[in-house]
Amino acid sequence: MASINRKLSGCYRRVLIFLIGVVALGLAVGGFAYYRLGGLEGMRHWMAGRALNSTETHLLTNRPDGISEEQIVREFQRVRTAISKRQADLPQLYETLSAYQTSFHKIKPSTPEIERFLAFLVQTILSGEP
């Protein structure tokens, strides 16, 4: 009986050491990514860029004939540049992207709807003046 207890305690000890190592490694990688992204504010802008990329891909796939691909790419690039320069109104951007995703998740948008969406998207860019 003592032999079994010793074997189990050794097994638990090894598993515990392994789990502590995995958690420590995860914290180190998470801390490094947090530092590289610029902290909490940097993570918010990074996530906004990811959401913008996803919406752009969806829009390019479901683009109406009246809107050119170059126009879509140009407008999204303007907003992407504003995000990287920290000149985007993130709450308004998330609201605009959420409205697009809610409205056009399963249907193809019309040309006037996309023109209106692109106008709202460009409005999320803040002026460079404080």
Side-chain angles (χ1 to χ4, degrees), residues 13-33:
R13 194 174 330 133
R14 286 189 292 266
V15 168
L16 182 62
I17 290 170
F18 175 76
L19 287 177
I20 289 173
V22 168
V23 168
L25 182 63
L27 287 174
V29 169
F32 178 74

Side-chain angles (χ1 to χ4, degrees), residues 42-63:
M43 288 183 69
R44 287 182 181 140
H45 283 84
W46 178 77
M47 289 174 60
R50 301 300 299 164
L52 190 70
N53 292 344
S54 174
T55 304
E56 180 183 20
T57 302
H58 184 270
L59 181 57
L60 288 172
T61 304
N62 297 308
R63 175 180 61 83

Side-chain angles (χ1 to χ4, degrees), residues 20-94:
I20 289 173
V22 168
V23 168
L25 182 63
L27 287 174
V29 169
F32 178 74
Y34 184 79
Y35 172 75
R36 293 288 292 169
L37 288 174
L40 186 59
E41 192 65 25
M43 288 183 69
R44 287 182 181 140
H45 283 84
W46 178 77
M47 289 174 60
R50 301 300 299 164
L52 190 70
N53 292 344
S54 174
T55 304
E56 180 183 20
T57 302
H58 184 270
L59 181 57
L60 288 172
T61 304
N62 297 308
R63 175 180 61 83
D65 294 335
I67 303 290
S68 70
E69 185 173 327
E70 293 78 23
Q71 179 183 0
I72 294 171
V73 171
R74 183 177 56 248
E75 299 302 330
F76 273 85
Q77 186 58 42
R78 285 179 59 194
V79 176
R80 196 173 290 113
T81 302
I83 290 173
S84 68
K85 292 180 178 181
R86 309 288 199 258
Q87 294 178 341
D89 183 6
L90 294 183
Q92 185 180 356
L93 177 62
Y94 282 128

Side-chain angles (χ1 to χ4, degrees), residues 1-10:
M1 193 62 133
S3 166
I4 293 174
N5 286 338
R6 242 188 333 217
K7 286 181 182 178
L8 287 177
S9 68

